[in-house]
Amino acid sequence: MAINPTSKQPPVATRDAAASAPSKDVKSWIELLADHVPLFSLIALCVAFSLTTDTFLSVRNLVNVIDQLTVLGIMALGMTAVIVIGGIDLSVGSVLAVSMMAMGWLANVQGLPMPVAIAAALVVGTLCGAFSGLLITRGNLPPFIATLATMSIARGLANLITDGSQIVGYPEWFSALSIERYFGFLSVTVGLFIVLTILAAVYMKYRAGGRALYAIGGSSEVARLAGIPVKRMTLAVYAACGLLAGLAGVVMSTRLDSSQPSGGLGYELDTIAAVVIGGASLSGGVGSIFGTLMGVLTIGVLRNGLNLIGTSPFVQQIVIGVVIVLAVMVDANKRKSR
């Protein structure tokens, strides 16, 4: 059979491109799955616990999970911004404690109106965050050391206010903020968390200030050369994180009907874990409010489900530690592949 010399063969480049097209599609699907690991992990946990216990999917239990997540969720919103700019805040649990103790002391010991005491708690939280920010931006301390110092100072102040004693007995309307439910499931504190989450998501994704945080996390020097006030925004982020920790202290007081100097102990680790599980990178420049929400829900569902099946609290700590390791490994491998 004669070969027609004039017949056209597909160019080599075209054949190579056609051969590589499926692999590119597969890679894009893998990247899509990697980007949504927090969501898929949460779904998998919900399915697993719904199969192993009869009470997990009950309305009462799900409402309980949401209530328990409110304090952690509020703090995680501020931590998301901190980690996005490449920082870390180890002081949020202690700031929560000193804020709630300041509120209790002003309201129950000094006799100030409760709204004034609540406002003072928010101011205390903001000042603690700003103190960490100043240590970082003006004192040139690493975020780890600066917030470690703030953690120690704030916890000491929380115990000093009442010499380590708790403060009890708040007005009924105050405790009702986390007890009374509207539409059968929504309390004021849960509603507050939902509103704050929406506002934070909109700011981080659509506002120029929010996008600037990602630029700082990507490269602070490049961001500075681009005209972004890096030090001022870093200070503002830590102050906002402190403010939200103070607000979380107020919310915790409504749930406990008391202020305790040991409040928030260990919460800084859970807060960082929620943000990391949600897909944020400890190197900075990566993270989202939606991912953080998935991380918060994952920790809440994990703790709740393990409690329902009778798992020891010590084993729960091990499990959450393993989850954190896996989340960081996924992030590291994802960045390496890109």
Side-chain angles (χ1 to χ4, degrees):
M1 180 177 178
I3 299 176
N4 185 2
T6 61
S7 61
K8 294 183 178 180
Q9 296 292 328
V12 175
T14 303
R15 293 200 304 270
D16 291 343
S20 64
S23 62
K24 288 183 178 179
D25 290 339
V26 171
K27 185 176 181 181
S28 64
W29 275 104
I30 293 175
E31 290 179 353
L32 179 64
L33 292 174
D35 289 337
H36 292 82
V37 164
L39 176 60
F40 296 141
S41 301
L42 177 61
I43 294 173
L45 283 175
C46 291
V47 172
F49 287 130
S50 64
L51 295 175
T52 54
T53 175
D54 296 332
T55 56
F56 177 76
L57 288 181
S58 65
V59 175
R60 181 176 181 180
N61 184 63
L62 293 178
V63 169
N64 185 45
V65 171
I66 295 173
D67 280 344
Q68 292 175 348
L69 290 176
T70 306
V71 172
L72 175 62
I74 290 174
M75 288 196 297
L77 297 178
M79 188 66 74
T80 302
V82 169
I83 290 180
V84 162
I85 65 171
I88 198 78
D89 193 342
L90 302 177
S91 68
V92 288
S94 298
V95 172
L96 177 153
V98 72
S99 298
M100 71 191 304
M101 291 304 296
M103 179 189 69
W105 182 75
L106 290 173
N108 287 19
V109 178
Q110 298 301 314
L112 293 180
M114 199 65 203
V116 176
I118 293 173
L122 301 182
V123 171
V124 169
T126 304
L127 290 176
C128 289
F131 177 69
S132 294
L134 287 173
L135 290 179
I136 295 167
T137 58
R138 303 300 178 186
N140 296 319
L141 292 179
F144 183 90
I145 300 300
T147 57
L148 186 65
T150 303
M151 178 182 72
S152 179
I153 294 171
R155 184 66 65 179
L157 289 174
N159 284 280
L160 185 64
I161 290 174
T162 59
D163 198 23
S165 301
Q166 65 176 351
I167 299 173
V168 298
Y170 287 116
E172 284 189 17
W173 66 265
F174 180 72
S175 300
L177 295 176
S178 61
I179 297 175
E180 291 187 4
R181 304 194 184 280
Y182 303 90
F183 311 108
F185 72 97
L186 186 66
S187 64
V188 172
T189 52
V190 172
L192 175 64
F193 171 54
I194 293 173
V195 171
L196 288 174
T197 300
I198 294 172
L199 292 176
V202 171
Y203 178 79
M204 294 283 287
K205 189 168 185 178
Y206 297 108
R207 302 297 297 173
R211 304 311 302 173
L213 300 183
Y214 291 94
I216 294 173
S219 173
S220 59
E221 181 61 20
V222 172
R224 185 187 66 82
L225 294 175
I228 297 174
V230 174
K231 288 189 175 182
R232 191 172 67 194
M233 294 199 70
T234 300
L235 177 60
V237 165
Y238 277 93
C241 189
L243 169 63
L244 290 171
L247 179 59
V250 174
V251 172
M252 180 175 280
S253 293
T254 68
R255 290 180 52 81
L256 300 177
D257 192 29
S258 66
S259 292
Q260 302 176 1
S262 61
L265 193 63
Y267 268 58
E268 57 277 345
L269 301 181
D270 281 354
T271 305
I272 295 170
V275 179
V276 172
I277 291 171
S281 172
L282 292 174
S283 301
V286 178
S288 69
I289 297 299
F290 176 77
T292 294
L293 179 60
M294 294 300 101
V296 170
L297 289 172
T298 297
I299 288 181
V301 167
L302 196 56
R303 288 192 185 280
N304 178 262
L306 292 174
N307 281 328
L308 290 178
I309 62 177
T311 305
S312 165
F314 307 118
V315 176
Q316 292 181 29
Q317 292 177 339
I318 296 173
V319 171
I320 291 178
V322 171
V323 170
I324 294 171
V325 170
L326 292 175
V328 175
M329 287 176 61
V330 168
D331 171 68
N333 291 329
K334 183 170 60 175
R335 286 187 288 113
K336 184 178 179 181
S337 65
R338 291 179 179 178

